[in-house]
Amino acid sequence: SPVGSSRIRYLAGAIPSDSFLFGVVAGDPGKVLQQFEGALEPDIRRILDEIVVNTGQYQGMAHLLGEVGRAFSPGLCISLRRDDYPADAARDVEHDNAPVPLFALSGKLRDRSAFSRLIEFFKANSWRFAGGDERPRLQRVELRGNTSGIAFASPAFPGTGEIVVVEIPALRMAVISNSYKYAERVVQAALTPARDSSGASRKLSEKPEFRQAVQALDGGAHVFLYGDPLEAKHWLDELVADMADISFRNEMETVFMRERPQVELSLRAKMFGGGVLSSNQAAQLQDAVDQEMARRRNRLRERRIPELQKEIELAVLPVTLFEWLSGGFKVRRRTASVMLSGGLSLD
């Protein structure tokens, strides 16, 4: 059955108002996650299955995700926020600052014993998923409202270097996030009553644009998404820069494969003339070729990076024309409906 409008607003009441994306998916959480897992590349699915089987606790990803379905009630939600919280030297862990948005996956608990089994499983086996032999550092994180969480810290986790799992007993809710700072704001929003004077500023559910988006739904949705492009600008700027850098590197691989042989021939003739090179001369030649290719890359970078950034910015420009966007998808016995709405930014 679809997630009703009132339920969507209730779930959004635990989401900070400065989040740039909020989504809800109806149905059994375990089966929903199994669908996502089934869309992964076969090699990745095989590796994940092997990791889970080797723990000896579950028979594979399907078995593990089935436990998630027992732990959570139908209707999981996810939210994203730009990663621009002030640094905290006392609490921040080692991280790579990759342009990964902060996320929070949250839902109502249905079976706390199943949730506890999942927590113990990941406490014992998180190192297997971190992609290295070093065990992620586990630590207790104290949050607001007498709420605490468990943080799995490892440089292998992109962006923030951590995964935090928080339970909010008063609401029978659990939150999984890649940032203790964002998780703390989720807890704060969840425990702040809507009628409180600060509720309107803290809770996504109280934003006029979000309320307008939910009101446009006809009896709820099986999938609902709400986005705020302005709140996403910081992350989009980082993403554009990162995508431009990746595109440039890919271009350079093609250019260097095509040009390096000719550069090597030219420098060989210039440095040593003809004949067979000694091992020392061959090493000198390769060093000279590497230096020349690096000079070419730097010259091209100054020109191509701004061009690539402009191309990517133009691709995302239509999204930035909106103050907010939302979409709902609902399936009936014989029909399916899609609802799209948004507010244009015409200032």
Side-chain angles (χ1 to χ4, degrees):
S1 60
V3 181
S5 299
S6 59
R7 173 74 170 170
I8 291 173
R9 279 200 61 194
Y10 171 80
L11 292 170
I15 305 303
S17 59
D18 58 357
S19 302
F20 70 75
L21 184 71
F22 169 79
V24 180
V25 181
D28 180 286
K31 293 180 179 178
V32 170
L33 292 176
Q34 285 173 6
Q35 294 297 316
F36 281 106
E37 191 260 344
L40 297 175
E41 292 291 333
D43 286 346
I44 296 177
R45 293 172 57 196
R46 177 182 54 78
I47 292 171
L48 290 175
D49 262 331
E50 290 177 355
I51 290 174
V52 174
V53 170
N54 288 338
T55 67
Q57 185 170 341
Y58 296 101
Q59 298 169 10
M61 281 297 294
H63 191 194
L64 173 62
L65 295 177
E67 186 87 295
V68 175
R70 286 184 287 275
F72 287 91
S73 298
L76 280 182
C77 69
I78 187 168
S79 61
L80 303 179
R81 186 196 185 277
R82 63 192 183 277
D83 182 7
D84 66 346
Y85 288 124
D88 185 342
R91 296 181 68 182
D92 289 349
V93 298
E94 182 182 352
H95 56 285
D96 61 9
N97 280 324
V100 176
L102 306 182
F103 73 80
L105 181 67
S106 55
K108 295 283 286 186
L109 289 178
R110 174 164 53 183
D111 184 340
R112 194 180 182 284
S113 61
F115 177 72
S116 296
R117 288 194 296 271
L118 288 169
I119 293 299
E120 293 304 316
F121 170 79
F122 283 106
K123 284 170 67 175
N125 298 286
S126 57
W127 64 276
R128 299 177 186 268
F129 295 89
D133 295 329
E134 182 181 351
R135 289 178 177 270
R137 180 161 49 90
L138 304 182
Q139 60 185 22
R140 186 180 178 89
V141 180
E142 299 297 333
L143 303 174
R144 306 186 185 199
N146 295 319
T147 302
S148 63
I150 298 171
F152 303 83
S154 170
F157 299 136
T160 61
E162 66 180 351
I163 298 293
V164 182
V165 182
V166 178
E167 182 182 358
I168 311 176
L171 301 176
R172 288 187 60 83
M173 178 180 288
V175 181
I176 301 170
S177 178
N178 62 342
S179 166
Y180 78 87
K181 298 171 186 175
Y182 190 40
E184 188 167 52
R185 267 65 171 194
V186 170
V187 172
Q188 184 179 24
L191 295 177
T192 300
R195 62 181 179 275
D196 189 280
S197 58
S198 61
S201 61
R202 290 179 178 170
K203 303 164 81 71
L204 178 65
S205 60
E206 302 309 304
K207 288 185 71 171
E209 298 87 354
F210 183 83
R211 294 168 70 95
Q212 186 178 349
V214 174
Q215 287 171 0
L217 293 174
D218 179 18
H222 286 91
V223 178
F224 174 74
L225 291 172
Y226 170 85
D228 185 331
L230 183 59
E231 293 288 359
K233 186 178 185 306
H234 178 277
W235 174 68
L236 284 174
D237 289 345
E238 287 189 333
L239 184 64
V240 166
D242 193 60
M243 290 177 65
D245 193 63
I246 293 172
S247 296
F248 177 74
R249 290 201 302 268
N250 292 337
E251 281 187 3
M252 289 305 96
E253 288 182 9
T254 302
V255 170
F256 284 8
M257 287 179 62
R258 183 178 67 245
E259 295 186 358
R260 187 181 180 96
Q262 184 59 44
V263 171
E264 184 171 334
L265 286 173
S266 176
L267 287 175
R268 175 173 177 155
K270 182 177 180 180
M271 294 171 63
F272 305 109
V276 178
L277 300 184
S278 67
S279 59
N280 185 50
Q281 289 174 324
Q284 292 179 38
L285 175 61
Q286 291 307 311
D287 286 343
V289 173
D290 289 341
Q291 292 175 23
E292 175 59 25
M293 298 308 293
R295 283 192 289 269
R296 294 190 178 198
R297 181 178 61 248
N298 292 336
R299 288 196 300 268
L300 284 171
R301 183 180 183 84
E302 292 179 2
R303 176 173 61 85
R304 284 297 291 152
I305 287 293
E307 293 175 350
L308 290 167
Q309 287 180 339
K310 182 62 67 176
E311 292 174 9
I312 299 170
E313 287 170 354
L314 288 174
V316 301
L317 179 62
V319 174
T320 63
L321 297 178
F322 289 85
E323 290 183 347
W324 60 272
L325 287 164
S326 71
F329 178 72
K330 184 164 63 175
V331 180
R332 297 182 175 87
R333 182 180 296 273
R334 295 179 179 274
T335 62
S337 59
V338 177
M339 183 282 298
L340 299 174
S341 60
L344 287 171
S345 178
L346 301 177
D347 295 337

